[in-house]
Amino acid sequence: MTTSLRQACVSLRRLLKGQRRDPSKTVSVFFFGQSHVVCLKTAWKRRLYRPKNQGFEFKFILSGQRQFPSEQIVMRSPSTDTDVLHPGLAQAFDEYGVYGGSTETWLVSMVRGNACNMFGLFEPEPPFDFVHPAVPELPVRTDAQLLPYDAVRAIFNQYSRRTASFFKCLPRKNIAGILHIEAPPPIPSEKQVYRSVERVLLRRVLGRARGTRVSPREFRMKLWKAQCDVNREICAENDIIYVTPPAEALDGEGYLLPKAWFGATHASAWYGALVLGKIEAVITGERSRQ
Amino acid sequence: MTSSQTPYANLPDTAFWRRAVASMPASGVDPIGQVPFVLTRTDRIATAGSCFAVHLSRHLSKSGFNYFVTEPGHPFLGAVAAEFNYGAFSARYGNIYTSRQLLQLFDRAYGTFTPAEDVWHNGEGRYFDPFRPNIQPNGFSSEREYWEDRHRHLAAVRQLFEQLDVLVFTLGLTEGWLSREDGAAFTLCPGVAAGTFDPERHQFHNLTCQEVIADLEAFIQKLRQVNPGARVILTVSPVPIIATMEPRHVLVSNAYTKCALRAACDGVVGRFSGMAYFPGYEIVTSNYTRGCYFADDLRSVTPDGVDHVMTLFYQHYGAAAIGEESPVPAGEEARTRAYEDRARLSEQVNEVLCDEEMLDSEAASG
């Protein structure tokens, strides 16, 4: 299905459900996710971003792995033998009146954005590499086993099954729209990544030896792009608006600009503010179309 | 001269149909006899050939013998690797149905033959290898990936030919499709799995027994040039051909194909040292089985049939290895262990990074 056709179907469904836009209504935007949502929350708390439109409210309801473990965003209900939302999120939706319909409600997911780092922040052993079809010009290491892009993507697909199930479990009644924000792209500086990683290893948090190599930036970029490909597809299949990182935060090759770096794999509050701006722009655009 | 004085008088039971076949339970039939060499657990055994050879590969990889693979799946891929034909054979060449394909694989690997029609593009961004069109589902995702993979694949083939101790090659077909331009032997008729059939460029060819012999002889000579000690076991696939292009019944064509391949094996084996014929074809297809080694489609070989073949293979070729220490489990298991170890570390560090960076960020926001 083409994007415009899909969009038309979504609009029609909303029309049939009586979800016509009321410009006077408050627009509540609820955020939830694991560690990548924190830069948005920090930007919001530090007032680095304020909505341009009157009536927009941003609310951070669950953030971080401890509150909302990525492996438990959906859980198997023993009574119905179906996947259900993590009880913490379901409860938060209740408490915030997400289901009520008293405001125009948008949900913003930033779940499970770390697969690319799990798979390749460190040099896998034995190393592997692949050609990403969108950036075939990126170097491919000759000392690493070449894997088919489709096979790498299949592994991301496996990892994302839980995300797909989560999207299916999200409430739709009285919800104006759901957005999924892609995790930030890689930090190109290996030095920056090393610094954060070494800090963890040095303190022997894991009781493990140091010396594990961080993967080359091009490899991390390819993994991130493979993750994006899968997430974009899952979003399209579930009527979820997929939001890419803000262009202002990226360098010419698509890596995070230094101002957006935070630690080894996360983004700064400055980046978070740009994302909030993009989210507002996307929602505003959607509202004007519907 | 009485009958007890004929040349048959002192022959073993295996020389007589009644004693060796008709009066035997099916599972007891053993047509192998003396083998010219045996396998040790350290011998690097490579496989190639038509689809029946996949059974051989699977058994060898689990048997404790040194199943030699130069293009293995990466542990990152787990079960996905099989979908991309890693491990089906010793390198990722897919099915090699004919002697011509085997010979040309060698020539392509060593750069002495570069087919004119060397890549197929479907016009939708997908690239296919004419010489292994089914090697991965839906082909390659970019031209760069295609050529990178091809380059590394042929390097893995060279490594295989140069380092193997024993090659088990299963002949499957005589019918095939060639390029009219340079005689390149395609794995399947262009247009079946990928590519486009063009009668101006593609022609049908049914190898004669003499051509199969010539191909095999040329291959063995070339193999011995790069690996003088290489031994070869030839087999014929018991799986009947699926279709024929000859203007005759498929049953008749199947009989020709298997007879030509079977005869070619005898034509070659006797002319080189370090060569053997293994009668997997006879074990599965002979009438003593009353057809019980074929599944309902009368093509697929049943697990019992495969077991019979492999039991006899190990019994005769692997006897010397019984009781030997296997040096092998090493390879694949060690790679998997190393990968899992690193993946676990990666996961742990990522978790800690997420927690710490989150706390830092929250602290910074006050």
Side-chain angles (χ1 to χ4, degrees), chain B residues 9-349:
Chain B
N10 296 319
L11 292 182
D13 285 353
T14 53
F16 297 93
W17 185 269
R18 189 177 52 76
R19 290 180 227 160
V21 181
S23 65
M24 295 290 288
S27 60
V29 172
D30 175 359
I32 295 172
Q34 196 91 38
V35 293
F37 54 85
V38 292
L39 307 174
T40 68
R41 289 208 186 268
T42 53
D43 280 337
R44 287 178 292 249
I45 308 168
T47 61
S50 73
C51 42
F52 187 73
V54 175
H55 293 301
L56 203 66
S57 307
R58 203 177 53 238
H59 268 262
L60 280 171
S61 64
K62 291 177 182 165
S63 66
F65 280 91
N66 190 356
Y67 177 51
F68 189 38
V69 179
T70 56
E71 220 174 350
H74 191 284
F76 173 66
L77 298 183
V80 168
E83 293 171 34
F84 288 78
N85 280 296
Y86 288 99
F89 297 105
S90 290
R92 221 159 67 103
Y93 29 62
N95 290 323
I96 300 174
Y97 294 108
T98 65
S99 55
R100 186 64 50 85
Q101 283 175 261
L102 178 68
L103 177 60
Q104 290 185 357
L105 173 66
F106 188 99
D107 291 341
R108 289 192 298 119
Y110 284 90
T112 54
F113 177 49
T114 304
E117 196 171 334
D118 213 10
V119 57
W120 287 333
H121 182 221
N122 73 352
E124 294 170 2
R126 307 295 302 192
Y127 295 80
F128 294 84
D129 190 334
F131 307 101
R132 39 182 197 148
N134 287 322
I135 202 66
Q136 46 193 61
N138 204 21
F140 294 82
S141 66
S142 65
E143 192 172 8
R144 168 94 190 276
E145 179 182 73
Y146 177 81
W147 290 113
E148 279 283 342
D149 187 88
R150 165 68 78 78
H151 175 72
R152 294 181 187 219
H153 164 60
L154 292 181
V157 171
R158 287 194 297 276
Q159 186 194 351
L160 184 79
F161 286 149
E162 288 162 24
Q163 295 179 1
L164 62 82
D165 291 308
V166 179
L167 171 66
V168 184
F169 180 60
T170 303
L171 291 143
L173 297 177
T174 51
E175 293 189 23
W177 292 86
L178 307 179
S179 161
R180 287 186 189 276
E181 189 176 348
D182 57 13
F186 301 109
T187 306
L188 297 170
C189 177
V192 170
T196 308
F197 179 70
D198 177 356
E200 299 292 310
R201 290 186 296 138
H202 307 129
Q203 65 177 339
F204 170 71
H205 184 71
N206 198 359
L207 293 165
T208 64
C209 182
Q210 287 71 28
E211 284 177 313
V212 176
I213 291 172
D215 287 343
L216 290 174
E217 284 181 349
F219 168 75
I220 290 157
Q221 281 160 1
K222 290 178 180 193
L223 177 65
R224 295 262 166 92
Q225 278 170 14
V226 299
N227 183 350
R231 287 164 285 164
V232 177
I233 298 174
L234 293 177
T235 69
V236 173
S237 169
V239 179
I241 65 174
I242 198 162
T244 183
M245 264 307 289
E246 294 285 3
R248 62 190 178 200
H249 197 285
V250 66
L251 207 58
V252 179
S253 283
N254 184 62
Y256 163 74
T257 292
K258 301 303 177 181
C259 288
L261 295 177
R262 178 63 193 85
C265 289
D266 271 19
V268 175
V269 166
R271 298 170 72 168
F272 294 89
S273 61
M275 284 206 68
Y277 171 71
F278 178 77
Y281 172 77
E282 288 84 338
I283 295 167
V284 173
T285 63
S286 296
N287 60 2
Y288 76 92
T289 68
R290 291 171 170 80
C292 73
Y293 285 161
F294 283 107
D296 291 345
D297 62 2
L298 303 181
R299 284 192 77 240
S300 310
V301 178
T302 63
D304 281 351
V306 175
D307 279 351
H308 193 164
V309 170
M310 294 312 298
T311 301
L312 293 181
F313 184 85
Y314 294 135
Q315 200 174 307
H316 291 272
Y317 283 93
I322 294 169
E324 269 185 45
E325 279 292 306
S326 170
V328 189
E332 235 3 62
E333 283 177 31
R335 268 165 61 88
T336 304
R337 265 199 306 275
Y339 173 76
E340 285 172 353
D341 195 41
R342 179 63 57 84
R344 230 178 347 263
L345 173 68
S346 188
E347 198 173 322
Q348 289 170 328
V349 171

Side-chain angles (χ1 to χ4, degrees), chain A residues 189-202 214 261 263-264, chain B residues 353 357:
Chain A
S189 161
E190 280 159 37
K191 207 168 157 190
Q192 162 76 11
V193 177
Y194 268 120
R195 253 201 307 271
S196 306
V197 170
E198 287 289 278
R199 194 179 61 175
V200 171
L201 294 174
L202 264 176
V214 168
W261 300 351
Chain B
L353 282 173
E357 290 173 4

